[in-house]
Amino acid sequence: MMNRLALMAMMMVSVVAGKSPRLKFVVHEPSRFHFDKPENYVSMFHPPGSDTLYVGGRAVIYVLTFSDRGAQEHQIPAASDQTAIDTCKAKAAPTELECDNFITVIQKINDTMLVCGTNAGSPRCWTLVNGSVLSDVRGHMGAASDISPPYPSQKSISLATEGSLYSAMSSVGGHAGSIRRTFGSQKLLKSENVWLLNPQFAGAAIVPASEKMKEEIYFFFSEINKTARVDEEPYRARIGRICTVDEGGIKALLPDSWTTFMKARVMCGAGNSQQQYNNLKQAVVLTAQDKRAGLLYGVFSNAWGRTVICAYSIEDINQAFTHSNLKGYSSPFVGTRPGTCVRKNSSAGSPNDIKNLGVIRYHPEIEDVIRPVGVAPLDLPADDQITHAVADIVLAANDEHYSVLYLGTEEGKVLKVLHSSEGVFIISQYSMFHNEGPVLNMAIDPVKGHLYVATAMEVQRLPLADCTRYGDTCRECVLARDPYCGWDPVRRRCLPIPLGYNVTSGSIIQNLDQSNSSVCGEAAALKLRRTSPREVLVQSNTSVFLPCPVRSFLATYRWEKDNCPKNYPCLFSGDFCVLGPSVDTPLRDGVFRCMATEDGFKVEVISFRLTNSGQLLDVSRAPLLLLLITAVARLH
């Protein structure tokens, strides 16, 4: 019997390594959509402030309209023509499954909804008319192959701003990657082949400026490191930058190319240690409107597949591009610094302009290396492989702005993370999908307050201000440290911070910079809180295991018996703190209380009253965990 008990104890003890989410939720909301077939490559477009989500799949565009009751679906067929499919199969695509029309780009440029797809290896673009019909493109557009890759496994990035579309195409199969302006009224431009070394693009973002002519676009990518040693990773992470006012060079030099392109190396690791993450997988930028300030969050991986996130100051990046020396160029600059965002005055070009164009043509990389804020990657769970990220900047009740990251994982979970000057705090973890699989794409709508998450099988919508999940007390609300939520002492509820909240006259309670609920003044009430014991009748020779549901994973859980000062430790089994029999823990008659201590306060979670029936049970025929399973069933 003791051997069986020892075996069960070994099975039930779990060691949690690394940082943990404070709360874990399983989501059952109806605001979800199920694909009829797996969609292994998913593109998204969400008009801000809308309940509609456009999802690009295999030979189809899903137009999904969400509500709190569910999701309405409208499908727009987008099949490849048979000639393209036959040609694709004949010329050996990466896989035969990729010989179809995978929708890779859905973007709105002014009043035009542009849709592009792989078209079985022969990319093609359309305009979406009235949200229901695909029509031939009219307007100033480059080649469709510069916007959509021929196959969905080749990564591409698209970004629309001020009536133009910017496209970045990763390198594959010997074809050089590129950064281009591909659609709109401005001149269509491209990067020079020598500027990019087999790039794999991870994202793009607009960096606003108080003067429109100084607005920039950053492109994030990894490229091959030609000088890497055998023991080094063959990648280097980069930021590329262009100005939106760029109209190309002069007839003799860079006539159809960027004249403002510059790039910098990005480092992600612990200082100058060997533990560096060089493969940039995705990037997200948060900026204040019309200000060149904010943060860049980069998702990096290493050769072993581990993912981390490094945060960078946009101001630091801007300073580097503005003042750093250029690699391989030591002469003084004459006139305007090469790469500066200025409107071109003449197509002929002055001698200084021509010289500066030559400098950019041959020396686009700056010497300064971009290093992360706080030197090291963010302190996140080591075991979670991050597949996608989005972010929001939130105005809290104290009139300060806070960054909130939503991180999709390989297991189909989403982490909600607060990032402040104090570091990171993992607010919660969401498990939301019926069919677990990697998070493939996400979209965030700060206007209406929704997060959209897609796997190959489902699309789910979640509220950004998910305040009701945190509990019905001030302490539970404040300890959640969610910038979207605060405790309303008048309505006595955890509620979203209202739009236009006045910090001077308002009474909402928050404490985001540390886990401290003393602002609630609930200490006396917490000490008196008790639960009603659940009655458990025990046979004399039966082993009893008592479950305590883990609410906060940052709390310390212990068991007490009959209000005695002695504490009994617990075994962890998933989301339960379990009290099992041992020499030091005689589970006999009495009241056993599970106590959770967090933020200096002890709260009773659940209690059981054990009563010995005096009867014997045939142990050989009884399951060892019968009472545990029965008790767990009663908790739900």
Side-chain angles (χ1 to χ4, degrees):
M1 184 65 175
M2 288 306 297
N3 288 340
R4 292 176 66 198
L5 284 176
L7 178 61
M8 287 309 304
M10 290 173 63
M11 292 171 61
M12 293 171 65
V13 172
S14 65
V15 179
V16 180
K19 211 174 180 75
S20 172
R22 179 176 179 270
L23 302 173
K24 296 182 181 180
F25 302 121
V26 178
V27 177
H28 298 293
E29 271 78 357
S31 299
R32 68 173 72 227
F33 171 75
H34 295 263
F35 295 117
D36 293 331
K37 63 183 190 301
E39 294 287 0
N40 295 316
Y41 299 97
V42 174
S43 59
M44 276 187 182
F45 173 72
H46 177 262
S50 165
D51 288 318
T52 300
L53 180 71
Y54 296 84
V55 179
R58 182 177 180 178
V60 65
I61 301 167
Y62 301 90
V63 184
L64 307 178
T65 304
F66 285 84
S67 70
D68 293 337
R69 297 182 299 276
Q72 298 295 317
E73 167 205 16
H74 169 59
Q75 291 190 14
I76 303 171
S80 299
D81 56 82
Q82 192 58 47
T83 302
I85 292 175
D86 293 341
T87 303
C88 177
K89 292 180 178 179
K91 65 182 182 183
T95 67
E96 191 169 303
L97 290 176
E98 296 194 42
C99 288
D100 208 332
N101 187 29
F102 292 85
I103 303 300
T104 56
V105 175
I106 308 174
Q107 289 284 351
K108 190 170 185 179
I109 305 112
N110 287 342
D111 295 327
T112 300
M113 185 76 84
L114 186 69
V115 175
C116 298
T118 60
N119 192 37
S122 304
R124 188 178 173 188
C125 293
W126 304 264
T127 55
L128 183 58
V129 181
N130 297 326
S132 58
V133 178
L134 291 177
S135 178
D136 290 335
V137 177
R138 295 179 182 178
H140 192 42
M141 190 186 89
S145 58
D146 294 331
I147 304 175
S148 173
Y151 306 108
S153 55
Q154 181 182 356
K155 187 73 178 288
S156 65
I157 299 294
S158 293
L159 184 150
T161 180
E162 297 296 318
S164 294
L165 183 71
Y166 297 82
S167 304
M169 190 71 61
S170 297
S171 172
V172 68
H175 297 283
S178 64
I179 297 172
R180 298 174 181 261
R181 189 187 288 141
T182 52
F183 184 91
S185 58
Q186 288 181 274
K187 186 175 182 180
L188 304 185
L189 299 176
K190 62 180 178 63
S191 53
E192 296 280 295
N193 287 343
V194 294
W195 292 345
L196 304 169
L197 303 174
N198 298 330
Q200 297 298 310
F201 284 94
I206 302 163
V207 180
S210 54
E211 297 178 60
K212 208 65 183 174
M213 63 172 290
K214 294 185 178 180
E215 188 171 82
E216 302 171 342
I217 298 178
Y218 287 173
F219 293 88
F220 310 101
F221 55 99
S222 296
E223 60 182 5
I224 294 298
N225 177 16
K226 287 185 175 181
T227 62
R229 302 189 304 267
V230 176
D231 60 341
E232 285 185 311
E233 288 185 88
Y235 299 103
R236 278 191 174 171
R238 305 282 191 189
I239 296 177
R241 188 223 68 169
I242 56 105
C243 302
T244 58
V245 296
D246 200 331
E247 291 291 335
I250 58 176
K251 186 174 182 180
L253 192 59
L254 303 178
D256 299 308
S257 299
W258 303 110
T259 63
T260 57
F261 176 81
M262 303 178 81
K263 70 177 182 180
R265 185 178 180 188
V266 184
M267 298 286 283
C268 177
N272 294 318
S273 72
Q274 294 298 313
Q275 187 59 39
Q276 297 292 324
Y277 296 84
N278 297 308
N279 196 358
L280 181 54
K281 309 295 286 186
Q282 199 203 345
V284 179
V285 169
L286 288 177
T287 58
Q289 189 63 33
D290 294 332
K291 292 182 180 179
R292 197 157 300 178
L295 289 170
L296 155 68
Y297 294 96
V299 180
F300 293 79
S301 70
N302 61 11
W304 296 273
R306 184 188 172 191
T307 54
V308 297
I309 292 182
C310 278
Y312 304 86
S313 163
I314 297 296
E315 291 179 287
D316 290 349
I317 298 170
N318 179 61
Q319 287 295 313
F321 279 125
T322 304
H323 299 293
S324 172
N325 294 328
L326 303 181
K327 270 195 171 182
Y329 186 81
S330 56
S331 301
F333 300 133
V334 179
T336 304
R337 177 185 168 90
T340 302
C341 296
V342 292
R343 294 191 187 278
K344 187 172 64 174
N345 295 320
S346 167
S347 59
S350 67
N352 285 345
D353 292 338
I354 294 173
K355 182 177 181 180
N356 284 345
L357 288 177
V359 173
I360 283 293
R361 170 67 176 80
Y362 296 104
H363 306 282
E365 185 176 354
I366 66 173
E367 288 184 353
D368 287 0
V369 174
I370 311 300
R371 299 187 185 277
V373 175
V375 182
L378 302 187
D379 186 15
L380 294 168
D383 295 334
D384 287 319
Q385 187 171 350
I386 301 164
T387 58
H388 206 85
V390 293
D392 190 17
I393 187 164
V394 185
L395 183 63
N398 61 0
D399 209 29
E400 297 288 337
H401 286 91
Y402 290 83
S403 299
V404 177
L405 304 177
Y406 292 90
L407 310 177
T409 74
E410 186 72 26
E411 293 76 32
K413 295 177 173 55
V414 174
L415 300 177
K416 185 177 186 179
V417 179
L418 168 68
H419 180 223
S420 69
S421 58
E422 304 299 320
V424 295
F425 177 79
I426 307 172
I427 298 168
S428 56
Q429 172 188 286
Y430 291 94
S431 301
M432 61 186 74
F433 296 108
H434 296 155
N435 303 284
E436 284 196 1
V439 171
L440 300 180
N441 210 333
M442 292 196 289
I444 191 167
D445 181 5
V447 178
K448 295 203 79 170
H450 291 131
L451 175 72
Y452 297 87
V453 187
T455 67
M457 295 302 297
E458 298 173 63
V459 181
Q460 169 81 53
R461 187 178 82 169
L462 285 174
L464 301 181
D466 207 6
C467 309
T468 56
R469 293 186 190 274
Y470 297 138
D472 55 6
T473 69
C474 177
R475 178 177 177 274
E476 290 171 314
C477 184
V478 169
L479 287 180
R481 292 177 65 182
D482 188 334
Y484 296 102
C485 305
W487 180 256
D488 187 332
V490 178
R491 301 170 66 180
R492 298 195 60 78
R493 291 173 59 192
C494 193
L495 297 174
I497 307 300
L499 189 65
Y501 174 76
N502 189 320
V503 66
T504 303
S505 59
S507 59
I508 287 179
I509 300 172
Q510 271 187 332
N511 196 346
L512 301 178
D513 294 325
Q514 54 184 321
S515 296
N516 188 336
S517 63
S518 60
V519 289
C520 292
E522 291 184 330
L526 287 171
K527 291 177 182 177
L528 297 174
R529 192 170 300 165
R530 287 284 184 267
T531 63
S532 298
R534 299 166 186 249
E535 302 290 339
V536 178
L537 198 62
V538 184
Q539 281 84 0
S540 297
N541 62 335
T542 303
S543 297
V544 182
F545 292 82
L546 300 179
C548 175
V550 173
R551 172 69 174 162
S552 168
F553 287 81
L554 299 186
T556 301
Y557 289 79
R558 292 289 186 270
W559 286 85
E560 296 177 357
K561 181 177 184 293
D562 296 330
N563 295 322
C564 294
K566 183 176 181 180
N567 287 327
Y568 299 95
C570 48
L571 310 172
F572 280 89
S573 177
D575 295 342
F576 288 91
C577 164
V578 180
L579 179 65
S582 69
V583 175
D584 294 327
T585 313
L587 285 178
R588 295 193 290 268
D589 291 9
V591 176
F592 292 83
R593 302 182 186 276
C594 178
M595 311 299 292
T597 303
E598 184 180 12
D599 181 36
F601 294 112
K602 186 189 292 187
V603 177
E604 186 172 304
V605 181
I606 196 171
S607 59
F608 296 93
R609 186 188 305 278
L610 269 57
T611 304
N612 195 319
S613 69
Q615 298 178 359
L616 297 178
L617 188 69
D618 185 350
V619 176
S620 65
R621 296 173 60 188
L624 182 63
L625 295 182
L626 175 62
L627 290 178
L628 173 60
I629 294 170
T630 303
V632 170
R634 290 175 180 168
L635 295 177
H636 294 281

